[in-house]
Amino acid sequence: MSIVVTGATGHLGRHVVEQLLEKVPAGEVTAVVRDRDRAAHLAARGVRLAVADYNSPETFDGLFAAGDRVLLISGNEFDKGRVGQHRVVIDAAKAAGVALLAYTSAPSSLRAALADDHRATEEVLVGSGVPYVLLRNGWYHENYTEQLAPVLEHGAVVQAAGEGRVSSASRADYAAAAVAVLTGEGHENTAYELGGDEAWSFAEYAAELSRQTGEEIVYRPVSVEDYTGILTGAGLPEPLAAVFAGVDASIGKGELVVTTGDLSRLAGRPTTPLAEAIRAALKD
């Protein structure tokens, strides 16, 4: 038996593997990667590596074993049919007889187009008969704190979210919840709605940036259409820009406010405050 993490060298996967290594022997962890070289540091620590690609179903043949616990981290190739990619992993897990498959989904409250692939994947997983956990991850602090350069340059946070609030948390927080599920008991056939302990608005985000930088940074709300244009002007393909702008529209409607407390309960600690994430990002 092993704990298998797909996308193990990705933004979230890296945190999951690191936290798993604090709880279980390295030999019990299998990291699924596309590029073995990028995971050489994990192999050096005793983690087992498996090279596979969501777009090549045959690479998952025999990858899982009976009794494995699997974390399926959702793909980020929006133009390659993510539901089909996820189905490849689910089918392989079913064929192997895995003990549990956890999937990183989106909050059930989110109605934006971004959630469509997640809802469809959930249907496939629940219908597969594989014991499942739906980790309905809310938004990440890093979606904003890793994009500070233009904000600081122009002195403005530009979003199409109106006065909406976001219950975001750090990737490390969401990873802690995944690790708790993968290493714990009694989570089978459960959905968790995950989000940060404190919701915040973009006006508050701009105010916190101002406080920490000593510079005046304002929140400038724009229309969804204008925001789509800003994103395409920054180089995003128009379909992807529309998806992200649609998330802002959902934020404006309160669809990314999560009040269950599931994330801090699973992590066993409070979630990371936004101010702390900003502080860390400004140091980098």
Side-chain angles (χ1 to χ4, degrees):
M1 188 276 285
S2 69
I3 297 173
V4 185
V5 180
T6 72
T9 54
H11 289 307
L12 178 61
R14 290 199 300 267
H15 286 285
V16 173
V17 173
E18 285 296 328
Q19 293 185 38
L20 277 173
L21 293 177
E22 296 173 3
K23 289 198 168 188
V24 301
E28 294 182 10
V29 179
T30 297
V32 181
V33 299
R34 287 183 177 180
D35 184 346
R36 185 179 294 273
D37 291 341
R38 287 188 61 194
H41 63 292
L42 296 178
R45 296 174 65 181
V47 173
R48 291 185 284 181
L49 301 185
V51 179
D53 188 324
Y54 294 155
N55 299 306
S56 302
E58 70 281 359
T59 60
F60 281 90
D61 291 346
L63 192 153
F64 304 125
D68 281 352
R69 296 184 174 198
V70 179
L71 176 63
L72 169 54
I73 294 180
S74 57
N76 59 7
E77 295 176 316
F78 296 91
D79 59 339
K80 292 189 177 179
R82 291 199 296 169
V83 180
Q85 292 178 328
H86 300 156
R87 189 190 296 271
V88 166
V89 181
I90 294 167
D91 287 348
K94 180 178 181 178
V98 302
L100 187 73
L101 194 154
Y103 170 67
T104 60
S105 189
S108 59
S109 55
L110 183 63
R111 294 288 175 260
L114 180 72
D116 291 348
D117 287 349
H118 292 301
R119 296 288 89 82
T121 299
E122 287 188 6
E123 289 183 15
V124 173
L125 178 53
V126 172
S128 71
V130 175
Y132 66 85
V133 178
L134 304 177
L135 297 168
R136 291 174 172 158
N137 288 359
W139 225 218
Y140 300 98
H141 291 329
E142 290 89 346
N143 291 343
Y144 304 107
T145 60
E146 289 181 351
Q147 310 296 328
L148 284 180
V151 173
L152 300 179
E153 179 183 352
H154 299 290
V157 173
V158 180
Q159 302 285 157
E163 298 178 3
R165 303 181 75 78
V166 186
S167 300
S168 67
S170 71
R171 291 193 185 111
D173 294 334
Y174 291 106
V179 168
V181 164
L182 293 169
T183 60
E185 301 296 337
H187 299 287
E188 291 83 357
N189 303 333
T190 303
Y192 293 109
E193 303 285 343
L194 305 177
D197 294 336
E198 300 291 336
W200 50 270
S201 69
F202 284 100
E204 290 168 343
Y205 176 53
E208 182 61 27
L209 283 170
S210 297
R211 188 185 71 80
Q212 292 200 28
T213 62
E215 304 290 336
E216 183 181 4
I217 297 173
V218 300
Y219 171 43
R220 183 158 63 87
V222 297
S223 69
V224 171
E225 292 74 21
D226 286 348
Y227 190 54
T228 304
I230 290 169
L231 294 176
T232 56
L236 277 186
E238 188 165 347
L240 191 56
V243 166
F244 288 139
V247 171
D248 264 32
S250 287
I251 291 172
K253 298 173 185 174
E255 294 176 10
L256 275 176
V257 173
V258 179
T259 59
T260 61
D262 284 351
L263 181 53
S264 54
R265 275 196 297 273
L266 283 173
R269 56 170 173 75
T271 60
T272 305
L274 177 65
E276 184 178 320
I278 290 172
R279 191 174 303 113
L282 290 173
K283 286 181 180 177
D284 289 344

